[in-house]
Amino acid sequence: MTSSDHLLDLIRTTPEIDLLLRSSFGFDIHRKHNGEGLRLASGAPLETIAGGFAGGAYFLCAERNGRRPVVFASSEGEGGLLADDLAEALEIMIGLEWRDCLSFSGGGDVEVMQISAQHLQRSRDKNNPGIDDEADQVAAALSLSIVPVADLVVRLHAAASKTEPDYVVADGDGQEFDPPFGEYVEPRHGGWR
């Protein structure tokens, strides 16, 4: 059993962790249909492991160096490498508003991502005061680390930067998804509040 299989099995057999991942962190192992028909542009298959809040999907790639990289594909047509394995991907998911951090990355500038992450973290804590406790519960149950936000941004940037050429997502017709980095540095209407 790979470490990814072990983590997925733990999630499946621990209902309270399954629920927290689904409801608070947008990782729903019961929504595997979200990624049907997607593959890597190279033609390599993807194994759908979960769906996200807004219709996106998480996938495991073929093993590399003893690890199975995790790719995310949004329902808006963006996708790419999230982490080198499922444990790292889950640490990013529970510790960082990673989708918005990528969206407001100024085209992949790690310094812009750091600023965005700090704004997003304040908003996350304000809107969900119990989120840190929920992240701690998930981390403890799955033997994950709670990683500082700045370090998670560096990890996310490094992974997303490796999307091309090996982790470009494509649909069944071969249409490639857009890269994961968004061009904006902050929200267009009112900026960071």
Side-chain angles (χ1 to χ4, degrees), residues 52-68:
F53 283 143
Y58 297 91
F59 305 92
L60 286 175
C61 300
E63 189 173 313
R64 273 197 181 174
N65 302 318
R67 300 168 87 185
R68 292 193 68 191

Side-chain angles (χ1 to χ4, degrees), residues 2-192:
T2 69
S3 62
S4 297
D5 293 332
H6 177 69
L7 281 170
L8 291 168
D9 189 50
L10 277 174
I11 294 166
R12 269 190 292 278
T13 59
T14 315
E16 60 274 10
I17 298 306
D18 177 17
L19 179 61
L20 282 175
L21 283 169
R22 184 174 353 130
S23 61
S24 296
F25 302 105
F27 185 81
D28 186 348
I29 62 171
H30 307 283
R31 297 179 73 185
K32 293 182 183 179
H33 63 278
N34 285 13
E36 289 177 356
L38 299 182
R39 59 180 172 73
L40 292 177
S42 65
L46 291 169
E47 178 187 342
T48 309
I49 55 171
F53 283 143
Y58 297 91
F59 305 92
L60 286 175
C61 300
E63 189 173 313
R64 273 197 181 174
N65 302 318
R67 300 168 87 185
R68 292 193 68 191
V70 176
V71 167
F72 179 80
S74 78
S75 59
E76 293 85 33
E78 297 142 352
L81 186 64
L82 176 58
D84 289 329
D85 64 27
L86 184 55
E88 284 187 10
L90 289 167
E91 288 173 354
I92 288 170
M93 283 181 244
I94 67 171
L96 180 66
E97 293 291 324
W98 68 273
R99 294 268 326 267
D100 286 337
C101 191
L102 286 172
S103 294
F104 302 111
S105 69
D109 183 321
V110 72
E111 290 178 24
V112 171
M113 289 175 70
Q114 291 287 3
I115 293 166
S116 295
Q118 295 306 314
H119 288 288
L120 291 162
Q121 195 69 18
R122 281 193 296 275
S123 177
R124 173 177 131 151
D125 291 345
K126 178 182 171 187
N127 295 328
N128 189 349
I131 195 81
D132 290 336
D133 291 337
E134 292 172 347
D136 289 343
Q137 280 182 267
V138 171
L142 301 180
S143 299
L144 303 173
S145 298
I146 296 295
V147 180
V149 169
D151 294 344
L152 291 174
V153 170
V154 170
R155 282 189 192 179
L156 178 61
H157 181 268
S161 295
K162 294 188 298 187
T163 294
E164 291 186 45
D166 296 328
Y167 300 103
V168 175
V169 179
D171 64 20
D173 297 325
Q175 181 69 37
E176 293 183 3
F177 278 43
D178 291 332
F181 294 117
E183 294 300 318
Y184 298 107
V185 296
E186 62 182 33
R188 289 182 288 176
H189 304 291
W192 298 116

